Amino acid sequence: MKKFLTIVMTVIILVAAITSSTVTFAASMPTTTITSIKAQNKAFTVKWKKKSGITGYQIQYSTNSKFKKNNKKIKIKNAKTVSKKITKLKASKKYYVRIRTYQGKKYSKWSKVKSIKIPKELKCNKDNIQKETHCTNNNNHSIKCGNMGRWFNSRSELVAYYNSEVSKWNKKIDNEEITYDEYYKNVPSGYECWSCSYCGKWTGNLKHY
């Protein structure tokens, strides 16, 4: 009987140790926070703070504020990703959203819950078709186009454009085609850039001396 009790106690101690270790590891996982949610037609785009030392993120959204029903989860497998567009949602519905980090099979605590209401579905006609089809021109992105005057498919493409502008004006001054006053007035000394939350394309401003 004593031997049996000893075995039972040993098992209980081992289980408790494993559970304690798991909780400690999960508690040490870096948590993230939602920075913004933007509603779109039957969709929303959620953005969050990037964290290091993790595998990725898990987003959970629901029409229930307590997440007791109608829950859906999406895994983001790249730790560098900081935004996600959630589609195929119901118009005029309010959604609750939260996010957490994960590493392997371990998860952090959930972030604070944010809510967003999806607008009513728009019917396409000559008056609102422009609202239905985003990003068809520079006036229909989620933000304004920069003084570069164009949208790029990626940030690296934008940087390549900036470098080409610098190279162009350097070549002009080297060939004595322009004066130094013209050079410093036109050659970019830097840039700032941003992306459209609808389509992910990039634009920006060239800075000058």
Side-chain angles (χ1 to χ4, degrees), residues 47-95:
K47 295 183 178 181
W48 58 88
K49 288 185 178 180
K50 183 171 69 174
K51 295 294 177 178
S52 58
I54 61 171
T55 303
Y57 309 89
Q58 186 182 58
I59 301 168
Q60 186 179 43
Y61 62 98
S62 174
T63 54
N64 182 276
S65 62
K66 301 296 183 182
F67 295 89
K68 291 184 177 180
K69 58 181 180 179
N70 301 324
N71 298 330
K72 288 192 177 181
K73 293 178 181 178
I74 296 177
K75 263 192 175 182
I76 308 298
K77 297 181 180 180
N78 188 340
K80 294 181 179 180
T81 301
V82 292
S83 68
K84 174 66 177 177
K85 184 176 181 180
I86 310 296
T87 59
K88 298 181 180 180
L89 303 178
K90 293 182 179 180
S92 301
K93 279 282 187 180
K94 190 173 186 178
Y95 285 85

mmCIF file of all heavy atoms in Angstrom, residues 47-95:
data_model
loop_
_atom_site.group_PDB
_atom_site.id
_atom_site.type_symbol
_atom_site.label_atom_id
_atom_site.label_comp_id
_atom_site.label_asym_id
_atom_site.label_seq_id
_atom_site.Cartn_x
_atom_site.Cartn_y
_atom_site.Cartn_z
ATOM 1 N N LYS A 47 -4.001 45.787 -37.502
ATOM 2 C CA LYS A 47 -2.555 45.975 -37.392
ATOM 3 C C LYS A 47 -2.145 45.816 -35.933
ATOM 4 O O LYS A 47 -2.919 46.132 -35.029
ATOM 5 C CB LYS A 47 -2.148 47.355 -37.905
ATOM 6 C CG LYS A 47 -2.393 47.553 -39.399
ATOM 7 C CD LYS A 47 -1.894 48.917 -39.867
ATOM 8 C CE LYS A 47 -2.107 49.092 -41.364
ATOM 9 N NZ LYS A 47 -1.600 50.397 -41.847
ATOM 10 N N TRP A 48 -0.911 45.350 -35.719
ATOM 11 C CA TRP A 48 -0.439 45.124 -34.361
ATOM 12 C C TRP A 48 1.054 45.416 -34.257
ATOM 13 O O TRP A 48 1.736 45.625 -35.265
ATOM 14 C CB TRP A 48 -0.727 43.684 -33.936
ATOM 15 C CG TRP A 48 -0.097 42.647 -34.828
ATOM 16 C CD1 TRP A 48 1.150 42.102 -34.725
ATOM 17 C CD2 TRP A 48 -0.692 42.035 -35.993
ATOM 18 N NE1 TRP A 48 1.370 41.194 -35.733
ATOM 19 C CE2 TRP A 48 0.264 41.132 -36.519
ATOM 20 C CE3 TRP A 48 -1.929 42.166 -36.627
ATOM 21 C CZ2 TRP A 48 0.005 40.366 -37.663
ATOM 22 C CZ3 TRP A 48 -2.178 41.402 -37.763
ATOM 23 C CH2 TRP A 48 -1.224 40.513 -38.268
ATOM 24 N N LYS A 49 1.557 45.414 -33.025
ATOM 25 C CA LYS A 49 2.975 45.682 -32.785
ATOM 26 C C LYS A 49 3.803 44.423 -33.048
ATOM 27 O O LYS A 49 3.438 43.332 -32.630
ATOM 28 C CB LYS A 49 3.199 46.144 -31.343
ATOM 29 C CG LYS A 49 2.694 47.550 -31.069
ATOM 30 C CD LYS A 49 3.064 47.995 -29.659
ATOM 31 C CE LYS A 49 2.607 49.426 -29.398
ATOM 32 N NZ LYS A 49 2.968 49.874 -28.029
ATOM 33 N N LYS A 50 4.923 44.610 -33.737
ATOM 34 C CA LYS A 50 5.805 43.483 -34.050
ATOM 35 C C LYS A 50 6.591 43.069 -32.805
ATOM 36 O O LYS A 50 7.044 43.904 -32.033
ATOM 37 C CB LYS A 50 6.771 43.870 -35.172
ATOM 38 C CG LYS A 50 7.680 42.733 -35.624
ATOM 39 C CD LYS A 50 8.460 43.099 -36.871
ATOM 40 C CE LYS A 50 9.485 44.159 -36.610
ATOM 41 N NZ LYS A 50 10.350 44.415 -37.787
ATOM 42 N N LYS A 51 6.749 41.762 -32.632
ATOM 43 C CA LYS A 51 7.510 41.218 -31.515
ATOM 44 C C LYS A 51 8.590 40.271 -32.037
ATOM 45 O O LYS A 51 8.446 39.664 -33.095
ATOM 46 C CB LYS A 51 6.586 40.470 -30.545
ATOM 47 C CG LYS A 51 5.571 41.362 -29.846
ATOM 48 C CD LYS A 51 6.255 42.345 -28.916
ATOM 49 C CE LYS A 51 5.268 43.288 -28.263
ATOM 50 N NZ LYS A 51 5.926 44.210 -27.319
ATOM 51 N N SER A 52 9.672 40.148 -31.271
ATOM 52 C CA SER A 52 10.772 39.268 -31.666
ATOM 53 C C SER A 52 10.816 38.048 -30.749
ATOM 54 O O SER A 52 10.177 38.019 -29.697
ATOM 55 C CB SER A 52 12.101 40.024 -31.599
ATOM 56 O OG SER A 52 12.325 40.530 -30.294
ATOM 57 N N GLY A 53 11.568 37.046 -31.164
ATOM 58 C CA GLY A 53 11.703 35.837 -30.363
ATOM 59 C C GLY A 53 10.473 34.958 -30.368
ATOM 60 O O GLY A 53 10.235 34.210 -29.415
ATOM 61 N N ILE A 54 9.674 35.053 -31.432
ATOM 62 C CA ILE A 54 8.446 34.263 -31.532
ATOM 63 C C ILE A 54 8.363 33.613 -32.909
ATOM 64 O O ILE A 54 9.116 33.962 -33.820
ATOM 65 C CB ILE A 54 7.189 35.132 -31.306
ATOM 66 C CG1 ILE A 54 7.103 36.238 -32.380
ATOM 67 C CG2 ILE A 54 7.185 35.733 -29.919
ATOM 68 C CD1 ILE A 54 5.801 37.007 -32.367
ATOM 69 N N THR A 55 7.426 32.671 -33.048
ATOM 70 C CA THR A 55 7.180 32.041 -34.347
ATOM 71 C C THR A 55 6.235 32.892 -35.183
ATOM 72 O O THR A 55 6.424 33.069 -36.381
ATOM 73 C CB THR A 55 6.571 30.635 -34.161
ATOM 74 O OG1 THR A 55 7.456 29.855 -33.364
ATOM 75 C CG2 THR A 55 6.371 29.953 -35.508
ATOM 76 N N GLY A 56 5.196 33.425 -34.530
ATOM 77 C CA GLY A 56 4.210 34.220 -35.260
ATOM 78 C C GLY A 56 3.099 34.701 -34.347
ATOM 79 O O GLY A 56 3.294 34.844 -33.135
ATOM 80 N N TYR A 57 1.925 34.912 -34.947
ATOM 81 C CA TYR A 57 0.798 35.467 -34.204
ATOM 82 C C TYR A 57 -0.466 34.647 -34.485
ATOM 83 O O TYR A 57 -0.562 33.960 -35.499
ATOM 84 C CB TYR A 57 0.539 36.919 -34.610
ATOM 85 C CG TYR A 57 1.769 37.793 -34.570
ATOM 86 C CD1 TYR A 57 2.599 37.908 -35.689
ATOM 87 C CD2 TYR A 57 2.113 38.500 -33.425
ATOM 88 C CE1 TYR A 57 3.736 38.699 -35.662
ATOM 89 C CE2 TYR A 57 3.243 39.298 -33.385
ATOM 90 C CZ TYR A 57 4.053 39.393 -34.505
ATOM 91 O OH TYR A 57 5.174 40.172 -34.474
ATOM 92 N N GLN A 58 -1.411 34.746 -33.580
ATOM 93 C CA GLN A 58 -2.722 34.135 -33.792
ATOM 94 C C GLN A 58 -3.795 35.193 -33.539
ATOM 95 O O GLN A 58 -3.826 35.809 -32.478
ATOM 96 C CB GLN A 58 -2.948 32.944 -32.867
ATOM 97 C CG GLN A 58 -4.256 32.204 -33.163
ATOM 98 C CD GLN A 58 -4.501 31.044 -32.219
ATOM 99 O OE1 GLN A 58 -4.564 31.239 -31.006
ATOM 100 N NE2 GLN A 58 -4.631 29.841 -32.759
ATOM 101 N N ILE A 59 -4.636 35.407 -34.547
ATOM 102 C CA ILE A 59 -5.731 36.367 -34.442
ATOM 103 C C ILE A 59 -7.021 35.604 -34.190
ATOM 104 O O ILE A 59 -7.275 34.579 -34.823
ATOM 105 C CB ILE A 59 -5.870 37.188 -35.742
ATOM 106 C CG1 ILE A 59 -4.572 37.938 -36.043
ATOM 107 C CG2 ILE A 59 -7.038 38.159 -35.651
ATOM 108 C CD1 ILE A 59 -4.534 38.537 -37.436
ATOM 109 N N GLN A 60 -7.825 36.104 -33.284
ATOM 110 C CA GLN A 60 -9.144 35.526 -33.046
ATOM 111 C C GLN A 60 -10.187 36.630 -33.180
ATOM 112 O O GLN A 60 -10.005 37.727 -32.652
ATOM 113 C CB GLN A 60 -9.234 34.901 -31.655
ATOM 114 C CG GLN A 60 -10.551 34.159 -31.410
ATOM 115 C CD GLN A 60 -10.612 33.517 -30.032
ATOM 116 O OE1 GLN A 60 -10.219 34.113 -29.042
ATOM 117 N NE2 GLN A 60 -11.093 32.286 -29.968
ATOM 118 N N TYR A 61 -11.251 36.344 -33.921
ATOM 119 C CA TYR A 61 -12.324 37.327 -34.056
ATOM 120 C C TYR A 61 -13.676 36.632 -33.945
ATOM 121 O O TYR A 61 -13.815 35.450 -34.255
ATOM 122 C CB TYR A 61 -12.211 38.102 -35.373
ATOM 123 C CG TYR A 61 -12.313 37.279 -36.629
ATOM 124 C CD1 TYR A 61 -13.510 37.188 -37.334
ATOM 125 C CD2 TYR A 61 -11.207 36.607 -37.132
ATOM 126 C CE1 TYR A 61 -13.605 36.443 -38.496
ATOM 127 C CE2 TYR A 61 -11.287 35.860 -38.294
ATOM 128 C CZ TYR A 61 -12.490 35.784 -38.980
ATOM 129 O OH TYR A 61 -12.580 35.045 -40.134
ATOM 130 N N SER A 62 -14.659 37.397 -33.469
ATOM 131 C CA SER A 62 -15.968 36.815 -33.191
ATOM 132 C C SER A 62 -17.026 37.909 -33.155
ATOM 133 O O SER A 62 -16.715 39.083 -32.938
ATOM 134 C CB SER A 62 -15.936 36.081 -31.846
ATOM 135 O OG SER A 62 -17.221 35.619 -31.483
ATOM 136 N N THR A 63 -18.272 37.510 -33.348
ATOM 137 C CA THR A 63 -19.391 38.439 -33.174
ATOM 138 C C THR A 63 -19.860 38.434 -31.724
ATOM 139 O O THR A 63 -20.749 39.187 -31.354
ATOM 140 C CB THR A 63 -20.566 38.057 -34.096
ATOM 141 O OG1 THR A 63 -20.910 36.683 -33.873
ATOM 142 C CG2 THR A 63 -20.197 38.254 -35.562
ATOM 143 N N ASN A 64 -19.241 37.577 -30.916
ATOM 144 C CA ASN A 64 -19.561 37.476 -29.497
ATOM 145 C C ASN A 64 -18.450 38.132 -28.682
ATOM 146 O O ASN A 64 -17.284 37.757 -28.804
ATOM 147 C CB ASN A 64 -19.720 36.008 -29.096
ATOM 148 C CG ASN A 64 -20.112 35.845 -27.643
ATOM 149 O OD1 ASN A 64 -19.265 35.847 -26.762
ATOM 150 N ND2 ASN A 64 -21.401 35.707 -27.385
ATOM 151 N N SER A 65 -18.801 39.093 -27.853
ATOM 152 C CA SER A 65 -17.794 39.862 -27.112
ATOM 153 C C SER A 65 -17.006 39.015 -26.112
ATOM 154 O O SER A 65 -15.896 39.373 -25.726
ATOM 155 C CB SER A 65 -18.454 41.031 -26.378
ATOM 156 O OG SER A 65 -19.403 40.562 -25.431
ATOM 157 N N LYS A 66 -17.576 37.883 -25.691
ATOM 158 C CA LYS A 66 -16.901 36.995 -24.736
ATOM 159 C C LYS A 66 -16.195 35.832 -25.440
ATOM 160 O O LYS A 66 -15.599 34.978 -24.778
ATOM 161 C CB LYS A 66 -17.917 36.439 -23.729
ATOM 162 C CG LYS A 66 -18.661 37.503 -22.926
ATOM 163 C CD LYS A 66 -17.726 38.297 -22.039
ATOM 164 C CE LYS A 66 -18.505 39.301 -21.195
ATOM 165 N NZ LYS A 66 -17.604 40.127 -20.348
ATOM 166 N N PHE A 67 -16.286 35.792 -26.761
ATOM 167 C CA PHE A 67 -15.664 34.739 -27.569
ATOM 168 C C PHE A 67 -16.162 33.345 -27.165
ATOM 169 O O PHE A 67 -15.413 32.375 -27.170
ATOM 170 C CB PHE A 67 -14.134 34.798 -27.451
ATOM 171 C CG PHE A 67 -13.546 36.051 -28.035
ATOM 172 C CD1 PHE A 67 -13.385 37.184 -27.251
ATOM 173 C CD2 PHE A 67 -13.167 36.111 -29.363
ATOM 174 C CE1 PHE A 67 -12.851 38.353 -27.779
ATOM 175 C CE2 PHE A 67 -12.634 37.268 -29.908
ATOM 176 C CZ PHE A 67 -12.478 38.395 -29.118
ATOM 177 N N LYS A 68 -17.455 33.262 -26.836
ATOM 178 C CA LYS A 68 -18.025 31.977 -26.433
ATOM 179 C C LYS A 68 -18.641 31.227 -27.613
ATOM 180 O O LYS A 68 -18.939 30.042 -27.507
ATOM 181 C CB LYS A 68 -19.071 32.194 -25.337
ATOM 182 C CG LYS A 68 -18.465 32.656 -24.014
ATOM 183 C CD LYS A 68 -19.519 32.777 -22.927
ATOM 184 C CE LYS A 68 -18.890 33.173 -21.596
ATOM 185 N NZ LYS A 68 -19.904 33.301 -20.514
ATOM 186 N N LYS A 69 -18.855 31.930 -28.739
ATOM 187 C CA LYS A 69 -19.398 31.281 -29.934
ATOM 188 C C LYS A 69 -19.024 32.116 -31.158
ATOM 189 O O LYS A 69 -18.579 33.258 -31.040
ATOM 190 C CB LYS A 69 -20.918 31.137 -29.829
ATOM 191 C CG LYS A 69 -21.662 32.452 -29.648
ATOM 192 C CD LYS A 69 -23.163 32.232 -29.525
ATOM 193 C CE LYS A 69 -23.896 33.559 -29.340
ATOM 194 N NZ LYS A 69 -25.360 33.375 -29.248
ATOM 195 N N ASN A 70 -19.214 31.517 -32.326
ATOM 196 C CA ASN A 70 -18.906 32.191 -33.602
ATOM 197 C C ASN A 70 -17.460 32.688 -33.648
ATOM 198 O O ASN A 70 -17.184 33.787 -34.127
ATOM 199 C CB ASN A 70 -19.866 33.363 -33.843
ATOM 200 C CG ASN A 70 -21.317 32.928 -33.871
ATOM 201 O OD1 ASN A 70 -21.637 31.845 -34.353
ATOM 202 N ND2 ASN A 70 -22.200 33.762 -33.342
ATOM 203 N N ASN A 71 -16.549 31.876 -33.120
ATOM 204 C CA ASN A 71 -15.139 32.258 -33.090
ATOM 205 C C ASN A 71 -14.393 31.735 -34.317
ATOM 206 O O ASN A 71 -14.660 30.632 -34.792
ATOM 207 C CB ASN A 71 -14.451 31.697 -31.846
ATOM 208 C CG ASN A 71 -15.047 32.240 -30.571
ATOM 209 O OD1 ASN A 71 -15.539 33.361 -30.544
ATOM 210 N ND2 ASN A 71 -15.022 31.449 -29.518
ATOM 211 N N LYS A 72 -13.471 32.526 -34.791
ATOM 212 C CA LYS A 72 -12.579 32.084 -35.862
ATOM 213 C C LYS A 72 -11.157 32.522 -35.522
ATOM 214 O O LYS A 72 -10.951 33.604 -34.970
ATOM 215 C CB LYS A 72 -13.009 32.655 -37.206
ATOM 216 C CG LYS A 72 -14.288 32.025 -37.741
ATOM 217 C CD LYS A 72 -14.541 32.392 -39.192
ATOM 218 C CE LYS A 72 -15.773 31.686 -39.722
ATOM 219 N NZ LYS A 72 -16.027 32.000 -41.150
ATOM 220 N N LYS A 73 -10.202 31.659 -35.854
ATOM 221 C CA LYS A 73 -8.798 31.953 -35.571
ATOM 222 C C LYS A 73 -7.978 31.885 -36.856
ATOM 223 O O LYS A 73 -8.236 31.058 -37.723
ATOM 224 C CB LYS A 73 -8.231 30.964 -34.545
ATOM 225 C CG LYS A 73 -8.833 31.087 -33.158
ATOM 226 C CD LYS A 73 -8.249 30.040 -32.216
ATOM 227 C CE LYS A 73 -8.869 30.135 -30.829
ATOM 228 N NZ LYS A 73 -8.344 29.089 -29.922
ATOM 229 N N ILE A 74 -7.006 32.768 -36.939
ATOM 230 C CA ILE A 74 -6.102 32.793 -38.085
ATOM 231 C C ILE A 74 -4.670 32.851 -37.565
ATOM 232 O O ILE A 74 -4.351 33.685 -36.714
ATOM 233 C CB ILE A 74 -6.372 34.005 -38.991
ATOM 234 C CG1 ILE A 74 -7.771 33.908 -39.604
ATOM 235 C CG2 ILE A 74 -5.324 34.103 -40.095
ATOM 236 C CD1 ILE A 74 -8.144 35.102 -40.449
ATOM 237 N N LYS A 75 -3.821 31.983 -38.085
ATOM 238 C CA LYS A 75 -2.418 31.986 -37.686
ATOM 239 C C LYS A 75 -1.582 32.767 -38.691
ATOM 240 O O LYS A 75 -1.696 32.568 -39.901
ATOM 241 C CB LYS A 75 -1.884 30.556 -37.579
ATOM 242 C CG LYS A 75 -1.887 29.998 -36.173
ATOM 243 C CD LYS A 75 -1.079 28.717 -36.077
ATOM 244 C CE LYS A 75 -1.006 28.241 -34.627
ATOM 245 N NZ LYS A 75 -0.191 27.012 -34.499
ATOM 246 N N ILE A 76 -0.752 33.646 -38.176
ATOM 247 C CA ILE A 76 0.215 34.385 -38.989
ATOM 248 C C ILE A 76 1.576 33.764 -38.704
ATOM 249 O O ILE A 76 2.109 33.893 -37.599
ATOM 250 C CB ILE A 76 0.220 35.887 -38.632
ATOM 251 C CG1 ILE A 76 -1.206 36.456 -38.670
ATOM 252 C CG2 ILE A 76 1.150 36.649 -39.556
ATOM 253 C CD1 ILE A 76 -1.869 36.396 -40.015
ATOM 254 N N LYS A 77 2.140 33.079 -39.687
ATOM 255 C CA LYS A 77 3.338 32.276 -39.447
ATOM 256 C C LYS A 77 4.649 33.035 -39.629
ATOM 257 O O LYS A 77 5.716 32.446 -39.529
ATOM 258 C CB LYS A 77 3.312 31.050 -40.362
ATOM 259 C CG LYS A 77 2.131 30.126 -40.077
ATOM 260 C CD LYS A 77 2.139 28.906 -40.975
ATOM 261 C CE LYS A 77 0.958 27.993 -40.667
ATOM 262 N NZ LYS A 77 0.945 26.785 -41.535
ATOM 263 N N ASN A 78 4.560 34.332 -39.899
ATOM 264 C CA ASN A 78 5.763 35.156 -40.045
ATOM 265 C C ASN A 78 5.773 36.221 -38.953
ATOM 266 O O ASN A 78 4.879 37.064 -38.894
ATOM 267 C CB ASN A 78 5.789 35.809 -41.428
ATOM 268 C CG ASN A 78 7.103 36.511 -41.714
ATOM 269 O OD1 ASN A 78 7.864 36.849 -40.808
ATOM 270 N ND2 ASN A 78 7.388 36.729 -42.984
ATOM 271 N N ALA A 79 6.780 36.195 -38.101
ATOM 272 C CA ALA A 79 6.845 37.131 -36.968
ATOM 273 C C ALA A 79 7.034 38.577 -37.416
ATOM 274 O O ALA A 79 6.795 39.506 -36.643
ATOM 275 C CB ALA A 79 7.979 36.733 -36.028
ATOM 276 N N LYS A 80 7.459 38.785 -38.677
ATOM 277 C CA LYS A 80 7.674 40.142 -39.177
ATOM 278 C C LYS A 80 6.383 40.781 -39.701
ATOM 279 O O LYS A 80 6.334 41.983 -39.929
ATOM 280 C CB LYS A 80 8.727 40.128 -40.289
ATOM 281 C CG LYS A 80 10.120 39.741 -39.807
ATOM 282 C CD LYS A 80 11.126 39.777 -40.947
ATOM 283 C CE LYS A 80 12.524 39.407 -40.462
ATOM 284 N NZ LYS A 80 13.514 39.436 -41.570
ATOM 285 N N THR A 81 5.355 39.969 -39.913
ATOM 286 C CA THR A 81 4.076 40.487 -40.405
ATOM 287 C C THR A 81 3.380 41.287 -39.309
ATOM 288 O O THR A 81 3.338 40.860 -38.158
ATOM 289 C CB THR A 81 3.169 39.326 -40.852
ATOM 290 O OG1 THR A 81 3.833 38.581 -41.875
ATOM 291 C CG2 THR A 81 1.848 39.852 -41.402
ATOM 292 N N VAL A 82 2.848 42.453 -39.665
ATOM 293 C CA VAL A 82 2.204 43.308 -38.658
ATOM 294 C C VAL A 82 0.795 43.746 -39.068
ATOM 295 O O VAL A 82 0.220 44.642 -38.451
ATOM 296 C CB VAL A 82 3.069 44.550 -38.346
ATOM 297 C CG1 VAL A 82 4.343 44.153 -37.631
ATOM 298 C CG2 VAL A 82 3.380 45.332 -39.616
ATOM 299 N N SER A 83 0.236 43.132 -40.100
ATOM 300 C CA SER A 83 -1.138 43.472 -40.476
ATOM 301 C C SER A 83 -1.774 42.298 -41.217
ATOM 302 O O SER A 83 -1.080 41.468 -41.804
ATOM 303 C CB SER A 83 -1.179 44.719 -41.361
ATOM 304 O OG SER A 83 -0.596 44.467 -42.621
ATOM 305 N N LYS A 84 -3.100 42.247 -41.170
ATOM 306 C CA LYS A 84 -3.826 41.179 -41.842
ATOM 307 C C LYS A 84 -5.220 41.673 -42.215
ATOM 308 O O LYS A 84 -5.915 42.273 -41.397
ATOM 309 C CB LYS A 84 -3.936 39.953 -40.929
ATOM 310 C CG LYS A 84 -4.800 38.828 -41.479
ATOM 311 C CD LYS A 84 -4.198 38.190 -42.719
ATOM 312 C CE LYS A 84 -5.047 37.028 -43.216
ATOM 313 N NZ LYS A 84 -4.505 36.436 -44.468
ATOM 314 N N LYS A 85 -5.616 41.408 -43.452
ATOM 315 C CA LYS A 85 -6.967 41.742 -43.892
ATOM 316 C C LYS A 85 -7.854 40.514 -43.727
ATOM 317 O O LYS A 85 -7.569 39.454 -44.282
ATOM 318 C CB LYS A 85 -6.965 42.209 -45.347
ATOM 319 C CG LYS A 85 -8.340 42.661 -45.836
ATOM 320 C CD LYS A 85 -8.271 43.200 -47.255
ATOM 321 C CE LYS A 85 -9.646 43.674 -47.731
ATOM 322 N NZ LYS A 85 -9.599 44.213 -49.110
ATOM 323 N N ILE A 86 -8.921 40.658 -42.958
ATOM 324 C CA ILE A 86 -9.881 39.580 -42.729
ATOM 325 C C ILE A 86 -11.076 39.821 -43.642
ATOM 326 O O ILE A 86 -11.697 40.888 -43.588
ATOM 327 C CB ILE A 86 -10.354 39.536 -41.267
ATOM 328 C CG1 ILE A 86 -9.156 39.564 -40.303
ATOM 329 C CG2 ILE A 86 -11.230 38.322 -41.023
ATOM 330 C CD1 ILE A 86 -8.257 38.376 -40.387
ATOM 331 N N THR A 87 -11.404 38.854 -44.481
ATOM 332 C CA THR A 87 -12.463 39.029 -45.472
ATOM 333 C C THR A 87 -13.641 38.081 -45.215
ATOM 334 O O THR A 87 -13.638 37.308 -44.258
ATOM 335 C CB THR A 87 -11.909 38.787 -46.885
ATOM 336 O OG1 THR A 87 -11.373 37.454 -46.953
ATOM 337 C CG2 THR A 87 -10.798 39.778 -47.211
ATOM 338 N N LYS A 88 -14.630 38.171 -46.098
ATOM 339 C CA LYS A 88 -15.826 37.319 -46.058
ATOM 340 C C LYS A 88 -16.599 37.488 -44.745
ATOM 341 O O LYS A 88 -17.087 36.519 -44.154
ATOM 342 C CB LYS A 88 -15.453 35.850 -46.281
ATOM 343 C CG LYS A 88 -14.820 35.583 -47.639
ATOM 344 C CD LYS A 88 -14.483 34.115 -47.820
ATOM 345 C CE LYS A 88 -13.851 33.864 -49.186
ATOM 346 N NZ LYS A 88 -13.501 32.434 -49.385
ATOM 347 N N LEU A 89 -16.699 38.734 -44.298
ATOM 348 C CA LEU A 89 -17.451 39.034 -43.080
ATOM 349 C C LEU A 89 -18.873 39.475 -43.431
ATOM 350 O O LEU A 89 -19.181 39.734 -44.592
ATOM 351 C CB LEU A 89 -16.736 40.133 -42.288
ATOM 352 C CG LEU A 89 -15.280 39.844 -41.903
ATOM 353 C CD1 LEU A 89 -14.677 41.029 -41.177
ATOM 354 C CD2 LEU A 89 -15.183 38.585 -41.050
ATOM 355 N N LYS A 90 -19.708 39.581 -42.426
ATOM 356 C CA LYS A 90 -21.095 39.982 -42.641
ATOM 357 C C LYS A 90 -21.241 41.491 -42.485
ATOM 358 O O LYS A 90 -20.720 42.076 -41.534
ATOM 359 C CB LYS A 90 -22.010 39.261 -41.651
ATOM 360 C CG LYS A 90 -22.089 37.753 -41.879
ATOM 361 C CD LYS A 90 -23.040 37.094 -40.893
ATOM 362 C CE LYS A 90 -23.139 35.595 -41.142
ATOM 363 N NZ LYS A 90 -24.062 34.933 -40.180
ATOM 364 N N ALA A 91 -21.940 42.102 -43.428
ATOM 365 C CA ALA A 91 -22.173 43.544 -43.378
ATOM 366 C C ALA A 91 -23.039 43.904 -42.179
ATOM 367 O O ALA A 91 -23.879 43.110 -41.739
ATOM 368 C CB ALA A 91 -22.838 44.006 -44.667
ATOM 369 N N SER A 92 -22.806 45.096 -41.634
ATOM 370 C CA SER A 92 -23.574 45.647 -40.501
ATOM 371 C C SER A 92 -23.390 44.863 -39.202
ATOM 372 O O SER A 92 -24.143 45.056 -38.253
ATOM 373 C CB SER A 92 -25.070 45.715 -40.845
ATOM 374 O OG SER A 92 -25.283 46.514 -41.990
ATOM 375 N N LYS A 93 -22.392 43.988 -39.155
ATOM 376 C CA LYS A 93 -22.126 43.210 -37.945
ATOM 377 C C LYS A 93 -20.952 43.811 -37.174
ATOM 378 O O LYS A 93 -20.011 44.345 -37.763
ATOM 379 C CB LYS A 93 -21.797 41.757 -38.296
ATOM 380 C CG LYS A 93 -23.003 40.873 -38.561
ATOM 381 C CD LYS A 93 -23.666 40.455 -37.260
ATOM 382 C CE LYS A 93 -24.770 39.441 -37.508
ATOM 383 N NZ LYS A 93 -25.424 39.033 -36.240
ATOM 384 N N LYS A 94 -21.009 43.693 -35.855
ATOM 385 C CA LYS A 94 -19.908 44.144 -35.010
ATOM 386 C C LYS A 94 -19.026 42.953 -34.673
ATOM 387 O O LYS A 94 -19.521 41.908 -34.244
ATOM 388 C CB LYS A 94 -20.440 44.781 -33.728
ATOM 389 C CG LYS A 94 -19.370 45.489 -32.898
ATOM 390 C CD LYS A 94 -19.997 46.238 -31.731
ATOM 391 C CE LYS A 94 -18.960 47.057 -30.980
ATOM 392 N NZ LYS A 94 -19.562 47.831 -29.869
ATOM 393 N N TYR A 95 -17.718 43.115 -34.880
ATOM 394 C CA TYR A 95 -16.773 42.038 -34.608
ATOM 395 C C TYR A 95 -15.824 42.444 -33.484
ATOM 396 O O TYR A 95 -15.439 43.605 -33.373
ATOM 397 C CB TYR A 95 -15.969 41.694 -35.866
ATOM 398 C CG TYR A 95 -16.765 40.909 -36.888
ATOM 399 C CD1 TYR A 95 -17.580 41.558 -37.811
ATOM 400 C CD2 TYR A 95 -16.709 39.517 -36.927
ATOM 401 C CE1 TYR A 95 -18.318 40.847 -38.746
ATOM 402 C CE2 TYR A 95 -17.442 38.794 -37.857
ATOM 403 C CZ TYR A 95 -18.244 39.460 -38.762
ATOM 404 O OH TYR A 95 -18.973 38.750 -39.685
#
